[in-house]
Amino acid sequence: MALDLIDQASTWLAEDPDPETRDELRALLDAAGADNEGDPEGARRALAERFSGTLQFGTAGLRGELGAGPMRMNRAVVIRAAAGLAGYLAKQPHHRTGLVVIGYDARYKSAEFARDTAAVMTGAGFRAALLPRPLPTPVLAFAIRHLGAVAGIEVTASHNPPRDNGYKVYLGDGTQIVPPADAEIAAEIAAIGSLNDVRRPDTGWETLDDDVLDAYLARTDAVLTPGSPRDARVVYTPLHGVGRETLTAAFARAGFPAPTVVPAQAEPDPAFPTVAFPNPEEPGAMDLAFATAREVAPDIIIANDPDADRCAVAVPAPGTGTGTGTGTGWRMLRGDEVGALLATHLVHQRARGAFATTIVSSSLLSRIAADADAPYAETLTGFKWLARVDGLRYAYEEALGYCVDPEGVRDKDGITAALLVAELASELKGQGRTLADLLDDIAVAHGLHATDQLSVRVEDLSLIGAAMQRLRERPPAELAGLKITSAEDLSRGTETLPPTDGLRYQLAGLAGLAGKDTVRSARVIVRPSGTEPKLKCYLEVVVDVPGTGDLPSARTTAETVLSALKKDLAAAAGI
């Protein structure tokens, strides 16, 4: 084992404020000794993984696996991040002694990371305030503007696996950081010397009471139309996260029936014991919700991810069989479908302002906005970009994120989105119709916009870079039999988008596919995930639908094209 690695680990050990990670690191150093009879080589590899660099602070803040060392999430890394953020804020006009509000979820170490942040901010001369307990990320995003803070921090890893945690930073306008702020904060973090030089008093910060939560809940009423129907029956799961208390309180305030909460997933639990991944998009995550729905027969199912900034929806799907994989009689809506439903609902409510989505989301929103004569914008992936759209009224991204009240929360908010979905379901119920019926109407009006993903999780991150390089060096000429009419390397930026690591292909349509249906167009975007070790490919095909009776055939055509796109793209990327 290289001497510099031993020195790095020993130096880190001497400064580590957490007994748990100190014990972990000390055990690895002992196990890596040359005379150890156990697995010294394995211990050395583990040390090298922890000290091969540092977690990079970017526009998503920090996110990574819990453990000792600079490549893991731990108290030492968080203290450095907080000190770097404090250094950045101190250099901004009028920020030197402002308020910094800090929220956290119920994951392992979240409360400790939040308290360390409060201590660092207090030591740096800021006023620091902790939210009263683990609460949804949207409550923190709301509190920043409500309290007039200069910045906010949410300790959360959202829907990542249990072993992860993260650190999300907002500025005083309630939006997440974007370049160049991320690089400037990273430079301040890199300039931190010894942790012993970072002042961390034991007291001096404030723990807020429930007034801030009450103010958020009062604001949730603003997303609903006064006097609207509110009788939809809901099965709800917070997926072991922090959403239940806030969502059920919001539903009660609004006058909806109390949601039936999935019992085994009702309480916060950082182990997420009933799911492989605490993400409603992942296979199996919704099985208990489907089982509960089979017992109580609700109108819809709603799920939040663990920090409740995302909202998933499932609808009855008669005749889907009795298998356990998708749940009997229920279908999960894609984020693009919920995005279109909410946009249509807001148009009917005469909402005014800009509608926005991201480059990886469906192009359907552009057609809904055009039909309503509303401004439309398309941004890079993430609400850090969507929240900055001028005159924003509504924004969504396909990964189950919806901003339906940008004046209250300039970020995705799974609580207010759930309220709006329940209102829409109630209105349709009064007409003897469902969310699925409205999706059919939208397809007839604008064409069937069918979307899917090819997502590959890797252990070796170099595989993602290799796939991107392969596509850049040998771009395909066609996919699924459709000619590629435009191939953009988004790393060069466009007239409307800053540079990002991604590729975008526009594909020509095809008349009379399968003897009947016309494919109007298709689109593929390939990009590395910003928060997980995944390569993500976003697929869309648009099929003309002359009338409701043509929908089954159009869906079959769309599924055929999407399946072929997946196969051909996987071959082209070598994944």
Side-chain angles (χ1 to χ4, degrees):
M1 184 169 54
L3 183 61
D4 63 342
L5 181 58
I6 298 175
D7 290 343
Q8 287 180 60
S10 299
T11 300
W12 189 276
L13 178 63
E15 293 187 351
D16 192 337
D18 190 331
E20 290 185 26
T21 46
R22 283 204 307 271
D23 289 347
E24 174 191 338
L25 192 50
R26 189 178 294 111
L28 284 174
L29 281 168
D30 291 344
D35 57 351
N36 191 286
E37 296 182 357
D39 182 18
E41 197 59 41
R44 292 164 194 162
R45 285 196 301 271
L47 279 173
E49 289 173 1
R50 286 159 173 76
F51 288 88
S52 60
T54 60
L55 283 181
Q56 293 301 301
F57 190 94
T59 51
L62 294 169
R63 196 175 291 187
E65 184 176 347
L66 291 164
M71 284 295 290
R72 297 289 188 268
M73 282 295 296
N74 51 65
R75 290 182 61 196
V77 164
V78 165
I79 290 167
R80 289 182 180 277
L85 175 59
Y88 167 83
L89 292 173
K91 294 178 179 178
Q92 308 308 306
H94 314 301
H95 281 20
R96 185 174 297 278
T97 59
L99 172 68
V100 177
V101 61
I102 303 150
Y104 56 101
D105 65 12
R107 284 179 177 265
Y108 296 117
K109 296 291 183 180
S110 286
E112 292 95 323
F113 293 168
R115 284 194 294 270
D116 281 331
T117 300
V120 171
M121 291 297 167
T122 300
F126 291 90
R127 293 182 294 122
L130 285 169
L131 292 187
R133 58 188 172 280
L135 287 169
T137 293
V139 177
L140 181 276
F142 166 83
I144 295 166
R145 301 177 75 185
H146 177 68
L147 299 174
V150 299
I153 298 103
E154 177 72 16
V155 180
T156 180
S158 189
H159 56 279
N160 276 39
R163 65 179 181 270
D164 289 358
N165 213 327
Y167 199 78
K168 184 183 293 187
V169 176
Y170 297 80
L171 297 181
D173 62 356
T175 62
Q176 297 177 52
I177 55 172
V178 296
D182 57 338
E184 292 171 6
I185 295 170
E188 294 286 342
I189 295 171
I192 302 297
S194 169
L195 284 190
N196 297 327
D197 297 332
V198 178
R199 292 190 62 234
R200 287 181 287 134
D202 294 328
T203 59
W205 59 86
E206 176 186 3
T207 298
L208 299 169
D209 58 24
D210 277 353
D211 285 352
V212 67
L213 177 59
D214 292 342
Y216 168 80
L217 288 170
R219 178 78 201 185
T220 61
D221 295 344
V223 307
L224 302 174
T225 301
S228 62
R230 300 179 189 182
D231 60 349
R233 293 172 297 110
V234 174
V235 160
Y236 169 69
T237 175
L239 288 182
H240 301 293
V242 298
R244 178 182 61 84
E245 174 193 359
T246 306
L247 182 135
T248 55
F251 269 59
R253 281 183 61 95
F256 287 100
T260 299
V261 181
V262 177
Q265 298 173 335
E267 297 301 319
D269 188 334
F272 303 107
T274 68
V275 294
F277 286 92
N279 179 352
E281 292 181 295
E282 293 284 346
M286 295 294 291
D287 283 357
L288 289 179
F290 294 144
T292 303
R294 288 195 290 272
E295 295 175 3
V296 302
D299 297 304
I300 55 173
I301 298 172
I302 289 175
N304 288 137
D305 67 337
D307 70 326
D309 62 353
R310 289 174 168 84
C311 176
V313 180
V315 297
T320 55
T322 58
T324 59
T326 58
T328 304
W330 288 89
R331 179 175 81 85
M332 289 294 296
L333 297 183
R334 293 189 173 277
D336 285 317
E337 292 178 304
V338 178
L341 286 168
L342 290 177
T344 301
H345 186 44
L346 289 169
V347 167
H348 290 164
Q349 289 181 330
R350 295 181 172 82
R352 305 308 302 169
F355 284 36
T357 191
T358 67
I359 59 171
V360 301
S361 303
S362 173
S363 60
L364 175 56
L365 184 65
S366 66
R367 294 177 170 89
I368 294 172
D371 199 47
D373 198 26
Y376 171 77
E378 192 174 87
T379 74
L380 294 183
T381 306
F383 270 84
K384 57 183 174 284
W385 300 109
L386 286 170
R388 287 173 162 75
V389 170
D390 288 341
L392 183 66
R393 177 56 185 88
Y394 168 68
Y396 95 91
E397 61 179 354
E398 53 75 40
L400 309 181
Y402 315 95
C403 175
V404 300
D405 177 25
E407 292 305 309
V409 175
R410 272 192 108 70
D411 197 6
K412 55 185 176 291
D413 183 346
I415 305 298
T416 51
L419 285 172
L420 206 59
V421 167
E423 180 185 55
L424 175 57
S426 298
E427 289 188 359
L428 291 167
K429 182 179 180 180
Q431 303 165 14
R433 306 179 75 235
T434 67
L435 296 178
D437 293 329
L438 181 55
L439 283 171
D440 288 350
D441 293 347
I442 294 170
V444 172
H446 303 289
L448 176 65
H449 289 63
T451 58
D452 203 352
Q453 261 194 51
L454 172 63
S455 182
V456 182
R457 184 181 292 270
V458 300
E459 294 292 333
D460 181 359
L461 289 175
S462 69
L463 296 176
I464 294 177
M468 296 297 291
Q469 182 177 354
R470 190 175 296 111
L471 287 171
R472 286 186 168 107
E473 292 177 350
R474 296 188 295 277
E478 68 174 34
L479 295 168
L482 304 178
K483 182 180 179 182
I484 293 177
T485 58
S486 170
E488 295 174 279
D489 186 343
L490 299 177
S491 66
R492 301 168 184 163
T494 72
E495 290 184 2
T496 57
L497 299 172
T500 188
D501 187 9
L503 299 166
R504 178 165 59 182
Y505 305 114
Q506 303 287 351
L507 289 81
L510 187 64
L513 192 71
K516 181 177 182 181
D517 302 294
T518 296
V519 175
R520 188 188 303 170
S521 63
R523 187 204 64 196
V524 172
I525 293 176
V526 185
R527 61 178 284 272
S529 170
T531 57
E532 299 177 271
K534 286 182 176 181
L535 181 68
K536 304 184 84 170
C537 309
Y538 303 84
L539 319 173
E540 180 181 53
V541 58
V542 183
V543 181
D544 287 334
V545 184
T548 303
D550 300 297
L551 271 167
S553 178
R555 289 195 175 102
T556 299
T557 295
E559 290 170 5
T560 300
V561 176
L562 288 171
S563 178
L565 282 174
K566 280 186 179 182
K567 180 180 178 181
D568 290 357
L569 186 61
I575 55 177

